[in-house]
Amino acid sequence: MSYSKVDNYNEEITGKLMTSYRDVLGALGEDPDREGLLKTPERLAKAMQFLTQGYHLDAKAIINSAKFHEDVSQMVIVKDIELYSMCEHHMLPFFGKAHIAYIPNGWITGLSKLARVVDVFSRRLQVQERLTVEIMNAIKETLNPLGVAVVIEAKHLCMMMRGVQKQNSVTTTSAFDGEFQKDSTRSEFLKLISADLH
């Protein structure tokens, strides 16, 4: 019995991307018909669709799918959320972790939904600065909390593999709204995401 993998991809998009990637391989001086490269255009076409699936996802709908009325107003933090994205300038990956907090104002959402929101926006061609703000805005506009905070720490392969080739640099971006614009609240959040509480 032979192995058969079932994938769900848009066949039209896959075909167009495969043609383009064959041309790219040829332009780089490779032979697209070489055994090791025969399936590379198809693999790339499917990989790119997977890595950019966030264009077809709705962050607000995800949060609303598990939105609950709860009379609490204490800070909720989900930290160390893994993220993988693609730099829109060089289409090379950047990866790291996101830390999210919000202060409920009558509504909470399932904790996993915050991680899914990170995926929605990271699975697009991105810059880290915009990614940080988009995550914050989706939570703000859906839950209407008293405040939202997002901090992202990431390594960028466009800095590590090419250009300045700095292997140990980490980029940190932050976005704060509402109560997190106050020094005391922001400081509490930053202290908690820095603490090793596990």
Side-chain angles (χ1 to χ4, degrees), residues 119-132:
D119 285 344
V120 168
F121 294 111
S122 62
R123 295 298 189 183
R124 303 177 182 190
L125 299 182
Q126 274 290 9
V127 295
Q128 185 176 330
E129 297 89 340
R130 182 173 68 240
L131 172 61
T132 309

Side-chain angles (χ1 to χ4, degrees), residues 77-81 97 99 192-198:
I77 300 175
V78 181
K79 69 177 192 175
D80 296 335
I81 301 168
K97 52 192 176 181
H99 313 290
L192 286 170
I193 66 172
S194 301
D196 186 9
L197 301 175
H198 315 311

Side-chain angles (χ1 to χ4, degrees), residues 2-186:
S2 63
Y3 169 75
S4 177
K5 181 181 177 186
V6 178
D7 288 323
N8 293 310
Y9 294 101
N10 183 301
E11 289 184 18
E12 182 182 355
I13 293 173
T14 300
K16 288 179 178 178
L17 289 173
M18 284 172 63
T19 299
S20 297
Y21 284 129
R22 273 187 61 85
D23 291 342
V24 168
L25 289 171
L28 292 173
E30 265 291 0
D31 175 9
D33 295 317
R34 182 165 63 79
E35 181 183 13
L37 294 177
L38 276 176
K39 291 191 175 182
T40 296
E42 181 182 3
R43 290 186 187 109
L44 263 170
K46 290 179 176 179
M48 287 307 298
Q49 288 178 77
F50 177 81
L51 294 172
T52 59
Q53 64 184 287
Y55 290 119
H56 309 290
L57 300 173
D58 184 337
K60 293 178 184 177
I62 288 170
I63 293 173
N64 281 324
S65 72
K67 184 176 175 180
F68 310 103
H69 181 70
E70 198 66 48
D71 188 22
V72 295
S73 58
Q74 287 75 36
M75 190 184 302
V76 177
I77 300 175
V78 181
K79 69 177 192 175
D80 296 335
I81 301 168
E82 298 171 19
L83 73 85
Y84 301 91
S85 194
M86 297 279 285
C87 162
E88 68 181 34
H89 299 143
H90 301 99
M91 290 184 69
L92 288 170
F94 66 92
F95 58 94
K97 52 192 176 181
H99 313 290
I100 298 174
Y102 72 99
I103 299 173
N105 186 23
W107 295 96
I108 61 170
T109 189
L111 299 176
S112 68
K113 304 310 176 189
L114 298 179
R116 292 189 187 280
V117 169
V118 172
D119 285 344
V120 168
F121 294 111
S122 62
R123 295 298 189 183
R124 303 177 182 190
L125 299 182
Q126 274 290 9
V127 295
Q128 185 176 330
E129 297 89 340
R130 182 173 68 240
L131 172 61
T132 309
V133 173
E134 286 178 336
I135 293 168
M136 180 190 72
N137 285 340
I139 298 165
K140 174 184 174 182
E141 293 167 13
T142 311
L143 294 179
N144 190 32
L146 298 175
V148 186
V150 179
V151 170
I152 293 178
E153 304 169 86
K155 290 192 168 192
H156 293 247
L157 290 190
C158 56
M159 283 187 67
M160 297 168 72
M161 293 178 66
R162 61 166 302 286
V164 294
Q165 298 180 57
K166 300 302 179 191
Q167 307 305 309
N168 299 308
S169 63
V170 176
T171 300
T172 302
T173 49
S174 62
F176 301 106
D177 185 74
E179 290 294 311
F180 287 97
Q181 292 176 326
K182 295 179 180 176
D183 288 342
S184 58
T185 310
R186 185 167 61 246

